[in-house]
Amino acid sequence: MSSDESESNLLPSVGRWGAVARRVRTRRAVMLVVASVVLPGSAQLLAGNKTVGRAALRVWALLLVGLPFGIWWSGRSGLVSLALHPQALATIQVSLVVLGLGWAALLVDAWRLGRPDRQSVGTRVLSTGMVLCLLAGVGTPVAYGVTLAGAQRDLVTSIFQPGGVGQLYKGRLNIAILGGEPVREGSHSPKDSVVSYTDQNAVASVDLSTGQTTLISIPRNMQYAQFPPETPMGKQFPNGFPDFFYGIYPYGAQHPAMFPGSSNPGATAVEQAMAQLLGIPIHYYVILNIAGFESLVDSVGGLTIRVTERLPIGGGHHAGACDMQGGGCQQLAHNKILGWINPGLQHMDGYTALWYARSREGTSDYDRMLRERCVLNGMLKEMDPLTVLTHFRSLVTSAKYAIKTDLTTGALSALVKVAPKTKKSDVTSVLMNPPLIAAVAPDVAVARDSVQGAITASSAPPTFAAASTKPGAKPKKKSTARDAAHPAAAVGGSPVPLSQVCSYS
């Protein structure tokens, strides 16, 4: 056999070995990149800088073992404290960025160790595309974690105050929940007073050991509310505030000198009136800007409530077209009805939920107050961990616009820790309404008795017995069909579980 014939016989063998070598190189390149995803540093340990590989694997092992152990060791309380600590959140952000960049660098280095220069063009394009996809897959959750930590840090620093929890009242934290229209151009209220007036006035009393919550509502049209006698407001109005209760907030905002040291004189004025009427200390306030509340509801994907009666969107009256003759308003203009909320189970967006809570046409202020409590309780039910996590960024944005509070991070931490118990328990509601609690010059003793009964009822089986009245008190009115549908509106001051009057399924 000639030498030319021998060489030609070897060519197929060399070609086969070349194809095998290319396949081996391709598999090796893919293996190194995949190994870097599963075990960062393993590619370097196998084919690169072993010191870097060992260091990366140690960090990865520490995270795999240390992170779950740290979560278990800290428990829920530790995680909550961490989430409310701005410096800790900033450290988490920096750590995530460093880890993400380090992981990305290991992936790129693993691709380099696969010798793309010795691969075919098609294989090189394929391996490069795979690495880019993996970089995006690694970077996306890291970037999301950095964003969440930043949003949480922004929420903590922009809304809540640093500090712990002060002395409790019978183990309870009492928080004034105020809601009203935002301050508008031309309003008589100072621009830093958050809302023009408080259309909604309630106190949430939360037992920090059991989560049992009592929600006490005060009608906006209550007159001659009293203040602690030793305060400047008590001395200014010894016979009670002559305007409606919703006027206390703007009065306080316009007279800050009466509330030295207060960062929100309007809220302080309302807190003083509430404390005097209800006989319990008010520890903190939360102001809900109702225009922002709409976006807050939208942020959790809406609210499901069973509506018991047809309610108008719009309607009611306003004083914009008053005919001022003889020193008074002779007539009020009627607002146009823009639509209706029909009876039945309704999944409401923020706009509809806001009107469900605020609608006044054809219903009383006390009916409206009941619906407001149903909406607040519904929001509590919607705030499960998955909903909060998936809507966190929009929730933070909405909360920054909708909420102003003097809650400390310590108080917030205590509330968050007990939130699961609160969510499972039934909120007890009590309304300071007639006939038991008069709308004009309310009897403080009767109101305080009702509050104590409600707090007791919040941790006991529900009872609908009327609170005891003082001698000479007016007899209770006979229950109507509407009262049967809304037992909380039937007897003022009676503690009523919200599950009896609010349905969410």
Side-chain angles (χ1 to χ4, degrees):
M1 184 182 293
S2 66
S3 60
D4 289 342
E5 289 175 337
S6 298
E7 188 173 334
S8 65
N9 289 334
L10 288 172
L11 286 175
S13 178
V14 172
R16 284 195 296 272
W17 279 110
V20 169
R22 284 194 297 272
R23 286 198 296 271
V24 170
R25 285 196 297 269
T26 300
R27 290 171 183 168
R28 180 175 180 272
V30 171
M31 181 195 71
L32 289 173
V33 171
V34 172
S36 282
V37 174
V38 179
L39 290 173
S42 56
Q44 286 70 29
L45 192 62
L46 291 171
N49 189 318
K50 289 180 170 47
T51 302
V52 172
R54 281 192 289 268
L57 283 171
R58 288 190 186 109
V59 171
W60 184 242
L62 183 63
L63 287 173
L64 285 179
V65 177
L67 193 59
F69 178 78
I71 292 173
W72 172 81
W73 179 264
S74 300
R76 180 183 176 86
S77 59
L79 292 177
V80 168
S81 299
L82 186 69
L84 298 176
H85 198 289
Q87 287 75 21
L89 291 168
T91 302
I92 290 173
Q93 283 184 282
V94 173
S95 300
L96 286 173
V97 170
V98 171
L99 287 172
L101 290 175
W103 201 352
L106 291 172
L107 272 172
V108 173
D109 189 52
W111 172 78
R112 180 189 64 81
L113 293 172
R115 299 296 299 272
D117 57 314
R118 298 182 61 185
Q119 299 171 3
S120 65
V121 174
T123 303
R124 193 181 307 146
V125 170
L126 180 64
S127 64
T128 302
M130 181 181 71
V131 169
L132 291 175
C133 289
L134 290 173
L135 284 172
V138 169
T140 299
V142 171
Y144 185 65
V146 171
T147 302
L148 281 184
Q152 176 67 15
R153 183 167 175 263
D154 187 31
L155 178 71
V156 171
T157 55
S158 62
I159 295 183
F160 302 101
Q161 311 300 318
V165 186
Q167 186 176 0
L168 302 179
Y169 172 75
K170 297 182 178 179
R172 307 180 76 91
L173 201 61
N174 302 323
I175 305 166
I177 301 177
L178 314 175
E181 293 280 359
V183 175
R184 303 187 187 280
E185 197 65 35
S187 170
H188 60 278
S189 295
K191 298 305 176 192
D192 60 354
S193 63
V194 188
V195 293
S196 299
Y197 57 89
T198 55
D199 197 43
Q200 291 86 33
N201 301 275
V203 175
S205 180
V206 185
D207 189 316
L208 292 186
S209 61
T210 65
Q212 296 287 350
T213 301
T214 300
L215 192 61
I216 308 158
S217 296
I218 300 173
R220 66 193 293 274
N221 62 348
M222 180 177 285
Q223 286 183 281
Y224 294 98
Q226 298 178 20
F227 300 89
E230 70 278 4
T231 63
M233 286 289 280
K235 295 173 182 176
Q236 178 75 17
F237 303 105
N239 297 318
F241 190 70
D243 198 355
F244 292 122
F245 200 93
Y246 65 74
I248 295 175
Y249 185 94
Y251 185 91
Q254 292 168 19
H255 299 83
M258 301 182 73
F259 309 92
S262 172
S263 60
N264 192 322
T268 302
V270 177
E271 287 178 325
Q272 289 180 359
M274 286 178 163
Q276 183 66 13
L277 174 67
L278 306 179
I280 58 176
I282 308 299
H283 300 107
Y284 302 100
Y285 70 81
V286 175
I287 301 176
L288 298 174
N289 178 328
I290 57 175
F293 180 77
E294 181 178 330
S295 63
L296 202 59
V297 174
D298 287 333
S299 295
V300 296
L303 206 58
T304 300
I305 296 178
R306 185 170 294 280
V307 181
T308 58
E309 56 188 321
R310 193 168 184 245
L311 296 167
I313 296 175
H317 296 78
H318 68 274
C322 283
D323 179 15
M324 300 297 292
Q325 296 179 358
C329 226
Q330 300 303 312
Q331 66 179 39
L332 297 176
H334 190 274
N335 295 318
K336 183 180 179 180
I337 292 179
L338 306 174
W340 294 88
I341 303 172
N342 293 314
L345 192 64
Q346 302 285 355
H347 186 75
M348 305 176 185
D349 59 11
Y351 175 80
T352 308
L354 189 58
W355 273 109
Y356 170 78
R358 302 187 67 208
S359 182
R360 289 194 181 94
E361 181 85 5
T363 59
S364 70
D365 268 353
Y366 307 114
D367 293 326
R368 176 181 57 81
M369 291 168 67
L370 174 62
R371 294 195 302 270
E372 289 167 359
R373 285 175 288 169
C374 290
V375 168
L376 287 174
N377 196 44
M379 282 294 289
L380 176 65
K381 292 180 177 296
E382 291 291 336
M383 292 296 185
D384 60 87
L386 181 60
T387 299
V388 172
L389 184 63
T390 54
H391 298 83
F392 191 75
R393 292 185 66 185
S394 56
L395 268 170
V396 170
T397 302
S398 300
K400 286 173 64 178
Y401 175 62
I403 297 174
K404 183 176 179 62
T405 181
D406 64 347
L407 268 172
T408 62
T409 52
L412 179 63
S413 176
L415 291 170
V416 172
K417 288 174 187 175
V418 81
K421 295 180 181 179
T422 302
K423 192 176 176 68
K424 293 177 183 178
S425 63
D426 200 354
V427 176
T428 300
S429 176
V430 64
L431 182 59
M432 298 288 108
N433 70 309
L436 184 62
I437 310 296
V440 179
D443 190 319
V444 170
V446 174
R448 292 182 176 187
D449 285 346
S450 299
V451 169
Q452 292 303 319
I455 289 176
T456 301
S458 70
S459 55
T463 174
F464 297 94
S468 59
T469 60
K470 287 185 141 191
K474 293 181 181 179
K476 301 178 185 64
K477 65 177 182 180
K478 198 177 281 187
S479 295
T480 64
R482 172 169 294 179
D483 293 336
H486 302 298
V491 181
S494 296
V496 178
L498 279 180
S499 62
Q500 301 290 329
V501 290
C502 307
S503 177
Y504 305 98
S505 60

